[in-house]
């Protein structure tokens, strides 16, 4: 195990790994109106920027105890059907104000987008992308995704699915209230092939209660048999004081810092051995991935929607709790699903929190988005100078640069 890298990762354990905008919502202090946001977005698009769309489907049938997402637990499908009508309504409020030919992608996330009945999913996609021009991806929960869902994805020419696997070990997953059989996961990969989904990304979590070096190694090897294109290996973010979900389930034993990063390095070694390349801090791409060439050329952005094979651009979030960024302004929709629905139904603004970014915050946000585009640069090169890292407060960049240079030495 690479002790130098292990020490560095442990030292930076408090870094918010998925930090992709600045400042954090808890530090937003300079509110702007919904109209100012739209005008700023229109200006950005008028000046040639593109726009990425995100639609949040908050529903899940059961609660995974590690979850940090904005979710609504229900088994009533009719609630979701009603919700989608309102999501479409929200989109129709923006759509006439935006140049359609500059909208380039749609991400469906959650919650669980495949909680929706296939015909409801079909309706939603049809309304947002009627001419099937957008690059599209969707988060898939293996437990709720059916063959009918895959038929819809194929008919709308989806480019990527992101499969939430987290761990292949039954005991580990049952312990966090998320049992999913290996047979079900195999079925998802088979359908992805049968319905010609160009890219399959998967999410794994390390640091889950009950995970051991042995169990995570076995789980990673089992997953690699399906040969996914990209693996997101995320640390468990255990913050019961921030997450009602984690609080509700009380404290569960999770590995200590060093043990947690040892788990990461164990899985990382297996991925590198199998030909995956590290983009740094838990992102691993296989050269067979459709996005590989674009990403290697630096055409990549690390957004709320994950890793997109495009240059960074503003984004617009639909649905409860969704974030939007115009290039200088950030806003968040009302988080509580019932309140969000009330606002849409009454033709009111869904905007709940907002912030006008300072120049430094804009620069920091752009640096986060560009993180992987510049990842081949060496430490202390023109872009990743120690001074720049200190000025922007992006220690994550140093960790990534060190991880990349460690990989270059190892291979
Ligand atoms: S981890 Fe995913 S499936 Fe589980 S509760 Fe959270 S959003 Fe739902």
């Amino acid at each position: 195990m690479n002790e130098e890298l292990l020490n560095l990762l442990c030292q930076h354990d408090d870094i918010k790994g998925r930090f992709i905008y600045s400042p954090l919502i808890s530090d937003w202090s300079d509110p702007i109106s919904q109209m100012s946001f739209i005008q700023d977005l229109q200006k950005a698009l008028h000046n040639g920027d593109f726009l990425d769309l995100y639609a949040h489907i908050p529903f899940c049938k059961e609660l995974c105890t590690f979850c940090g997402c904005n979710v609504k637990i229900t088994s009533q499908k009719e609630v979701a059907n009603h919700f989608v009508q309102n999501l479409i309504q929200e989109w129709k409020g923006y759509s006439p104000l935006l140049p359609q030919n500059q909208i380039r992608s749609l991400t469906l996330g959650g919650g669980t987008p495949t909680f929706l009945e296939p015909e409801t999913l079909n309706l939603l996609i049809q309304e947002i992308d009627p001419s099937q021009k957008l690059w599209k991806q969707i988060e898939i929960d293996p437990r709720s995704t059916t063959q009918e869902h895959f038929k819809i994805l194929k008919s709308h020419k989806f480019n990527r699915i992101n499969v939430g696997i987290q761990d292949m070990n039954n005991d580990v997953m049952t312990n966090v209230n998320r049992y999913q059989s290996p047979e079900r996961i195999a079925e998802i990969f088979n359908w992805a092939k049968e319905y010609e989904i160009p890219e399959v990304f998967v999410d794994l979590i390390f640091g889950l209660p009950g995970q051991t070096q042995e169990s995570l190694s076995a789980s990673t090897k089992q997953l690699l048999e399906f040969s996914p294109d990209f693996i997101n290996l995320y640390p468990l973010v255990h913050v019961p004081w921030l997450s009602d979900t984690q609080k509700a389930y009380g404290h569960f034993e999770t590995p200590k810092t060093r043990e947690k990063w040892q788990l990461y390095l164990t899985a990382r070694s297996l991925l590198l051995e199998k030909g995956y390349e590290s983009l740094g801090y838990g992102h691993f791409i296989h050269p067979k991935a459709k996005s590989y060439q674009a990403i290697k050329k630096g055409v990549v952005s690390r957004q709320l929607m994950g890793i997109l094979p495009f240059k960074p651009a503003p984004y617009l979030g639909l649905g409860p709790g969704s974030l939007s960024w115009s290039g200088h302004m950030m806003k968040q929709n009302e988080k509580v699903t019932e309140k969000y629905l009330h606002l849409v139904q009454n033709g009111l603004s869904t905007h709940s929190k907002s912030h006008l970014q300072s120049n430094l915050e804009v620069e920091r946000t752009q640096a986060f988005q560009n993180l992987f585009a510049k990842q081949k640069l060496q430490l202390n090169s023109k872009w990743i100078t120690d001074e720049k890292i200190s000025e922007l407060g992006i220690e994550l960049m140093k960790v990534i640069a060190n991880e990349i240079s460690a990989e270059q030495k190892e291979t």
Side-chain angles (χ1 to χ4, degrees):
M1 189 163 291
N2 184 329
E3 284 296 317
E4 205 181 319
L5 185 55
L6 176 60
N7 290 336
L8 184 81
L9 290 164
C10 291
Q11 271 166 29
H12 293 91
D13 183 54
D14 59 341
I15 285 174
K16 294 161 186 73
R18 299 188 215 184
F19 195 18
I20 35 188
Y21 53 85
S22 172
L24 289 175
I25 297 178
S26 51
D27 296 328
W28 286 7
S29 59
D30 205 353
I32 37 109
S33 68
Q34 168 105 336
M35 189 44 72
S36 307
F37 179 85
I38 293 174
Q39 284 168 350
D40 199 52
L41 187 57
Q42 286 173 322
K43 198 165 135 201
L45 300 186
H46 179 76
N47 290 336
D49 266 342
F50 286 96
L51 179 67
D52 296 310
L53 296 178
Y54 171 78
H56 188 75
I57 319 295
F59 304 103
C60 295
K61 199 166 164 223
E62 288 172 300
L63 190 59
C64 310
T65 58
F66 57 83
C67 182
C69 302
N70 183 26
V71 297
K72 172 136 190 80
I73 305 301
T74 180
S75 53
Q76 295 175 320
K77 297 285 180 179
E78 57 282 7
V79 175
N81 296 346
H82 170 67
F83 170 85
V84 164
Q85 295 298 341
N86 285 278
L87 195 64
I88 292 170
Q89 199 56 37
E90 188 193 7
W91 167 239
K92 285 184 173 169
Y94 286 113
S95 174
L97 306 174
L98 303 169
Q100 299 299 303
N101 56 0
Q102 274 163 273
I103 302 173
R104 68 179 179 190
S105 78
L106 169 65
T107 296
L108 300 179
T112 311
T114 49
F115 179 90
L116 301 179
E117 302 278 15
E119 56 274 23
T120 313
L121 182 66
N122 186 38
L123 173 72
L124 176 63
I125 304 162
Q126 177 67 33
E127 288 288 344
I128 299 182
D129 184 24
S131 49
Q132 301 198 340
K133 282 191 183 148
L134 302 184
W135 183 97
K136 291 183 284 295
Q137 63 172 341
I138 183 171
E139 290 173 13
I140 293 280
D141 181 337
R143 299 167 301 170
S144 63
T145 307
T146 63
Q147 192 167 8
E148 292 308 307
H149 284 114
F150 271 95
K151 288 181 187 167
I152 301 295
L153 300 183
K154 181 174 164 72
S155 73
H156 285 281
K157 303 189 178 123
F158 265 66
N159 299 74
R160 180 189 293 169
I161 57 171
N162 293 281
V163 191
I165 290 179
Q166 326 308 353
D167 195 305
M168 297 285 290
N169 183 291
N170 287 344
D171 291 341
V172 171
M173 293 316 285
T174 304
N175 189 39
V176 289
N177 199 35
R178 190 190 169 102
Y179 176 72
Q180 54 200 10
S181 71
E183 293 74 26
R184 190 82 182 99
I185 292 169
E187 205 164 24
I188 294 291
F189 279 96
N190 287 338
W191 284 332
K193 206 174 280 172
E194 183 180 342
Y195 292 97
E196 297 169 336
I197 304 294
E199 278 187 323
V200 180
F201 280 32
V202 302
D203 290 347
L204 291 181
I205 297 183
F206 64 95
L208 285 167
Q211 262 177 350
T212 61
Q213 302 282 343
E214 294 71 32
S215 78
L216 187 60
S217 289
S219 177
T220 309
K221 284 179 190 159
Q222 205 181 342
L223 174 69
L224 288 176
E225 285 171 20
F226 300 119
S227 207
D229 295 293
F230 195 106
I231 294 175
N232 291 306
L233 184 57
Y234 292 126
L236 173 74
V237 182
H238 188 222
V239 283
W241 58 95
L242 287 179
S243 159
D244 287 342
T245 307
Q246 291 182 352
K247 206 184 313 177
Y249 277 79
H251 180 71
F252 47 66
E253 282 297 324
T254 52
K256 302 277 176 283
T257 303
R258 196 167 179 84
E259 219 179 303
K260 183 175 83 180
W261 289 107
Q262 281 169 337
L263 287 169
Y264 173 68
L265 291 182
T266 298
R268 177 181 177 274
S269 298
L270 286 169
L271 297 177
L272 297 183
E273 265 171 46
K274 287 287 178 186
Y276 288 81
E277 292 181 22
S278 167
L279 299 180
Y281 213 67
H283 299 83
F284 298 88
I285 188 165
H286 197 278
K288 74 182 172 69
K290 292 273 181 297
S291 308
Y292 180 79
Q293 291 303 338
I295 290 175
K296 295 311 273 188
K297 284 185 194 142
V299 183
V300 55
S301 62
R302 178 176 177 265
Q303 302 270 33
L304 281 170
M305 292 74 77
I307 308 290
L308 298 183
F310 307 115
K311 295 273 186 204
Y315 49 86
L316 179 67
L318 307 169
S322 292
L323 289 165
S324 304
W325 182 63
S326 67
H328 306 92
M329 296 179 182
M330 300 212 65
K331 76 175 188 81
Q332 183 181 36
N333 270 1
E334 168 56 52
K335 276 178 85 174
V336 178
T337 300
E338 290 76 7
K339 287 190 190 167
Y340 162 83
L341 291 173
H342 171 81
L343 293 171
V344 178
Q345 281 158 10
N346 290 284
L348 301 169
S349 162
T350 52
H351 175 132
S352 132
K353 290 181 183 162
S354 56
H355 180 73
L356 174 64
Q357 292 178 304
S358 67
N359 289 341
L360 178 63
E361 288 162 357
V362 169
E363 200 183 343
R364 194 182 287 143
T365 301
Q366 288 167 345
F368 278 127
Q369 292 175 344
N370 273 312
L371 218 44
F372 297 131
K374 305 283 182 183
Q375 52 98 11
K376 282 295 172 196
L377 293 182
Q378 300 297 313
L379 269 179
N380 292 321
S381 65
K382 194 164 161 240
W383 202 69
I384 312 180
T385 59
D386 276 349
E387 292 73 31
K388 195 72 184 165
I389 289 171
S390 306
E391 182 194 332
L392 295 178
I394 304 183
E395 289 293 308
L396 178 59
M397 196 175 287
K398 195 186 276 185
V399 179
I400 289 178
N402 270 290
E403 192 177 341
I404 299 297
S405 83
E407 183 186 337
Q408 285 164 351
K409 279 183 219 155
E410 284 162 30
T411 50

